[in-house]
């Protein structure tokens, strides 16, 4: 059980116990009134005669029939329950035997995307789920706790409902307490974990199968020249597995915050030049041209030069890999001044806060990226149309690592592309 699940479970138990405690204390108060005890003797020692809870108007306003949950939920009768219900970050609903809503907190209506106040309405109007409504009926009928997970269409959230019967002096339930936990984030994390395992298994399957086949062939003692070629292929497959493991380790450290960036004001031009020189031999083998626009007039950027060089090298490597022979790759850098924060709905680039930024771009004349794929290219293991990039290699982790590094500097990274006409990747860094 995760820490979040444990916390939510404890909160549910506390809410249920507080309502049961209030119910019993209220019954004691009514019994003491029947025996002629004064209000000051029957109320809790913490409630003084000059307290708002001890007031003639209040005593007259409380219903005299105290056999239902509705009577026990008078605001003055159970302040602890009301305080807890409003303080916790889970939805709380209380219904009577007819499944009419007696109480709900704001979190419940927010999670269910309902109108602010539905007290007095049927439970079905709030939950909008027939199965969830019938489950409350069964809990009130047999007094057994139940759980249910729903996914409302209005919100798309994953919500777990926990039903607890409410009794007065251990008799037939007179209502039910329903708590609502938002498990959306937990579900997404679990899905990401499953996807990671599946993707790693898929990426390892191909090189391991190749290695197994090559080893079996070598065991049959082939001619020396064939054995030499097979050993070279085995070395390539081992390098692919090693790269996958190294990049997974790097991404894990970035996502867990274990990578500390050494931020300092630095000129961007030398970082670009070093990255271009490292990738140039690969570009020369494909007769590609790398053009670098002058970036000498730019202010220094607040960055970790080695990490930004890693980002640039990754983008340049992709540009060389997906650009045909004789193509052109262009690297530019310029200043971007933003007077006010970008609106969240901006579509041409991720929204930026106000300030001065250095924008670096890497453009190519390669195969391009389909528009429907652009939003996902920075996900782990995501590869654009594997049929088109079958022989390109790579692990699908490079852009995910680049995204974490850029955002660790406070910048943003995005791309634009037209299929068949090349792609452009931009990322920003804060000016020092």
């Amino acid at each position: 059980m995760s820490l979040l699940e444990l916390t939510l479970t404890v909160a549910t138990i506390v809410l249920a116990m507080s309502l049961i405690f209030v119910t019993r204390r209220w019954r004691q108060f009514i019994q003491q009134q029947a025996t002629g005890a004064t209000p000051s003797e029957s109320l809790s020692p913490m409630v003084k005669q000059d307290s708002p809870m001890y007031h003639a108007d209040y005593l007259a306003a409380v219903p005299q029939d105290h056999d239902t949950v509705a009577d026990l939920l008078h605001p003055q009768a159970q302040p602890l329950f009301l305080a807890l219900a409003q303080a916790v970050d889970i939805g709380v609903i209380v219904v009577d035997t007819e499944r009419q809503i007696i109480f709900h907190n704001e979190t419940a209506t927010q999670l269910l995307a309902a109108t602010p106040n539905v007290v007095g309405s049927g439970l079905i109007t709030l939950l909008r789920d027939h199965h969830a409504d019938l489950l409350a009926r069964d809990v009130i009928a047999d007094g057994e706790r139940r759980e249910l997970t729903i996914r409302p269409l209005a919100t798309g959230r994953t919500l777990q409902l926990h039903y607890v019967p409410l009794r007065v002096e251990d008799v037939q339930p007179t209502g039910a307490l329903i708590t609502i936990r938002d498990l959306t984030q937990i579900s997404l994390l679990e899905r990401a974990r499953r996807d990671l395992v599946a993707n790693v298994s898929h990426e390892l399957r191909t090189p391991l199968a190749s290695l197994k086949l090559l080893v079996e062939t070598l065991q049959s003692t082939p001619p020396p020249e064939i054995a030499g070629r097979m050993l070279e292929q085995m070395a390539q497959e081992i390098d692919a597995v090693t790269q996958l493991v190294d990049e997974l380790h790097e991404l894990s450290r970035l996502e867990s915050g274990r990578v500390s960036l050494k931020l300092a004001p630095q000129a961007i031009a030398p970082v670009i030049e070093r990255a271009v020189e490292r990738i140039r031999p690969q570009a020369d083998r494909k007769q590609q041209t790398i053009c670098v626009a002058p970036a000498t007039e730019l202010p220094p950027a607040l960055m970790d030069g080695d990490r930004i060089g890693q980002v640039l090298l990754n983008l340049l490597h992709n540009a060389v890999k997906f650009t045909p022979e004789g193509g052109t790759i262009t690297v530019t850098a310029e200043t971007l001044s933003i007077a006010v924060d970008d609106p969240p709905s901006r579509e041409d680039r991720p929204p930026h806060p106000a300030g001065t930024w250095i924008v670096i771009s890497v453009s190519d004349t390669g195969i391009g990226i389909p528009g429907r794929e652009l939003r996902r290219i920075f996900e782990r293991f995501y590869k654009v149309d594997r049929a088109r990039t079958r022989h390109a290699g790579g692990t699908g982790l490079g852009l995910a690592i680049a995204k974490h590094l850029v955002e660790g500097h406070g910048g943003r990274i995005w791309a634009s592309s037209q299929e068949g006409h090349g792609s452009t990747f931009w990322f920003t860094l804060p000016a020092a």
Side-chain angles (χ1 to χ4, degrees), residues 336-346 348-354 357:
L336 172 65
S337 296
I338 302 177
V340 296
D341 294 350
D342 283 339
S345 59
R346 183 160 186 153
D348 59 333
R349 68 162 187 255
H352 264 73
W357 302 85

Side-chain angles (χ1 to χ4, degrees), residues 50-260:
D50 56 353
S51 168
M53 289 183 64
Y54 181 70
H55 194 277
D57 294 338
Y58 158 67
L59 293 176
V62 176
Q64 296 305 308
D65 179 11
H66 306 284
D67 295 330
T68 66
V69 176
D71 300 332
L72 298 169
L73 281 176
H74 191 282
Q76 297 281 12
Q78 33 66 45
L80 175 61
F81 172 77
L82 286 181
L84 283 171
Q86 298 300 338
V88 296
D89 58 351
I90 61 176
V92 179
I93 305 171
V94 179
V95 296
D96 60 14
T97 53
E98 301 299 323
R99 304 197 302 283
Q100 300 296 308
I101 299 173
I102 299 168
F103 169 84
H104 65 79
N105 62 359
E106 293 182 7
T107 305
T109 55
Q110 291 171 0
L111 292 176
L112 295 165
T115 54
N117 188 3
V118 291
V119 172
S121 303
L123 180 62
I124 188 67
T125 63
L126 182 57
L127 296 181
R128 287 171 285 187
D129 187 289
H130 185 65
H131 188 195
D133 182 53
L134 292 181
L135 207 61
R137 180 197 64 184
D138 296 340
V139 170
I140 296 171
D142 59 24
E144 297 292 333
R145 297 187 179 199
R146 287 177 172 81
E147 287 187 357
L148 175 67
T149 300
I150 63 174
R151 294 176 177 83
L153 295 176
T155 63
R157 297 175 180 269
T158 301
L159 304 178
Q160 185 182 56
L161 309 183
H162 186 74
Y163 298 76
V164 178
L166 298 177
R167 292 183 172 89
V168 177
E169 291 191 343
D170 298 326
V171 297
Q172 182 69 18
T174 58
L177 170 71
I178 306 168
T179 58
I180 309 173
R181 307 174 185 177
D182 188 356
L183 301 183
T184 306
Q185 190 64 25
I186 295 176
S187 299
L188 291 175
L189 291 173
E190 179 62 21
R191 177 183 173 184
R193 183 192 65 80
R194 291 195 302 266
D195 290 346
L196 176 63
V197 173
N199 286 323
V200 171
S201 301
H202 176 79
E203 293 295 332
L204 287 175
R205 186 181 298 115
T206 300
L208 291 178
S210 297
L211 284 171
K212 184 175 185 297
L213 180 61
L214 290 168
V215 169
E216 290 174 350
T217 305
L218 285 174
Q219 288 175 340
S220 64
T221 62
E225 62 275 9
I226 296 179
R229 289 199 302 269
M230 289 183 174
L231 287 173
E232 291 178 3
Q233 293 176 10
M234 290 177 67
Q236 293 174 3
E237 298 295 347
I238 291 173
D239 289 342
V241 174
T242 303
Q243 181 187 1
L244 174 62
V245 173
D246 290 343
E247 291 187 354
L248 274 173
H249 179 64
E250 177 77 358
L251 186 59
S252 173
R253 293 176 66 236
L254 287 169
E255 291 181 338
S256 63
R258 288 180 290 162
V259 174
S260 58

